[in-house]
Amino acid sequence: MRQNMNRYDEEEYKLENIRERIYPWVRKDLGEISEKDAPVVSFINDLRIIFVIKREEEVFEILMDDMLPPDCDVEALYYASCENLVRDVEFVIANTWYGGFAILADGRHEASWLCFKHIWQVCVDKLKDDLVIMAPTIETVLFVPASNEAAVAKLIEHGKQAYEQSKDRISTGLMLFTKDRKELTAYED
């Protein structure tokens, strides 16, 4: 009988068996997931990070609290999941038609790249400007130089359109990465 066994004791959930396949996902709406039942990390604006286990090529399982041992350090899990993402998912930065940029990856993890401050630092260094960033969907992350007001307006338009057309919505809220503060914050104009 396995009635008293916790899920984290089962082979398919043992942390040593899944650690290499856990990834961070940035979300706003957690749907049916309760923060009482799953490890959730607060992010920027009202965004949060949940964790998923990659089971098959396009199959991901949301990591719930009962899948983790009681002594699991969620911060360490976050850093490990980010390392997995860097190791397993390639991304590129593409140009948009309106003078902005988009992060392209595998169609599932684009928004997860928000977690990487060094990406934004490289971009502000290259553009010599602060960045306005939006992640309207899981597969859409857009950014433009903050001083280019026309591009910011187009980014907002493009982002809202992507948000409205997607079933995997995140947010139309804007974020800012500044050259001076070197951190991602909520954008307030």
Side-chain angles (χ1 to χ4, degrees):
M1 284 264 178
R2 293 173 16 142
Q3 290 173 326
N4 294 331
M5 187 179 228
N6 292 304
R7 284 173 80 180
Y8 58 81
D9 288 329
E10 297 174 21
E11 279 303 309
E12 70 178 316
Y13 293 110
K14 282 188 177 177
L15 196 52
E16 62 266 19
N17 294 340
I18 62 172
R19 182 183 307 275
E20 299 283 312
R21 293 180 286 132
I22 296 174
Y23 301 97
W25 276 3
V26 175
R27 296 292 185 269
K28 178 178 178 182
D29 179 14
L30 299 180
E32 296 178 16
I33 303 167
S34 166
E35 290 190 40
K36 294 180 287 200
D37 300 326
V40 176
V41 177
S42 292
F43 199 51
I44 295 161
N45 294 337
D46 47 1
L47 302 181
R48 292 165 287 187
I49 296 169
I50 61 171
F51 301 95
V52 296
I53 307 163
K54 184 174 185 177
R55 292 296 186 187
E56 295 174 29
E57 191 57 37
E58 290 295 318
V59 178
F60 294 88
E61 180 179 7
I62 294 171
L63 187 63
M64 304 300 283
D65 282 340
D66 67 348
M67 298 173 188
L68 295 171
D71 61 345
C72 182
D73 179 347
V74 174
E75 186 175 339
L77 182 68
Y78 169 74
Y79 289 113
S81 71
C82 287
E83 289 174 11
N84 295 342
L85 184 67
V86 168
R87 181 193 66 224
D88 297 339
V89 180
E90 289 186 40
F91 81 98
V92 296
I93 295 175
N95 295 316
T96 65
W97 58 270
Y98 51 84
F101 304 90
I103 290 184
L104 305 176
D106 63 357
R108 277 261 162 256
H109 294 95
E110 280 77 355
S112 301
W113 291 96
L114 289 172
C115 300
F116 297 103
K117 188 165 116 173
H118 69 275
I119 292 171
W120 306 115
Q121 187 61 53
V122 167
C123 292
V124 296
D125 290 347
K126 283 192 180 272
L127 295 171
K128 296 180 179 15
D129 198 346
D130 298 340
L131 304 175
V132 175
I133 304 165
M134 181 191 283
T137 72
I138 65 168
E139 73 276 357
T140 309
V141 175
L142 307 167
F143 63 98
V144 296
S147 65
N148 185 338
E149 292 178 19
V152 171
K154 291 290 186 186
L155 172 134
I156 292 169
E157 181 183 320
H158 180 183
K160 286 182 177 177
Q161 184 177 28
Y163 181 86
E164 291 302 322
Q165 294 175 353
S166 178
K167 65 178 178 53
D168 294 319
R169 296 176 177 169
I170 295 184
S171 174
T172 57
L174 299 176
M175 294 162 272
L176 181 69
F177 190 92
T178 62
K179 296 180 299 189
D180 299 333
R181 291 184 64 197
K182 300 182 182 201
E183 65 180 311
L184 200 55
T185 59
Y187 176 77
E188 297 164 24
D189 60 325

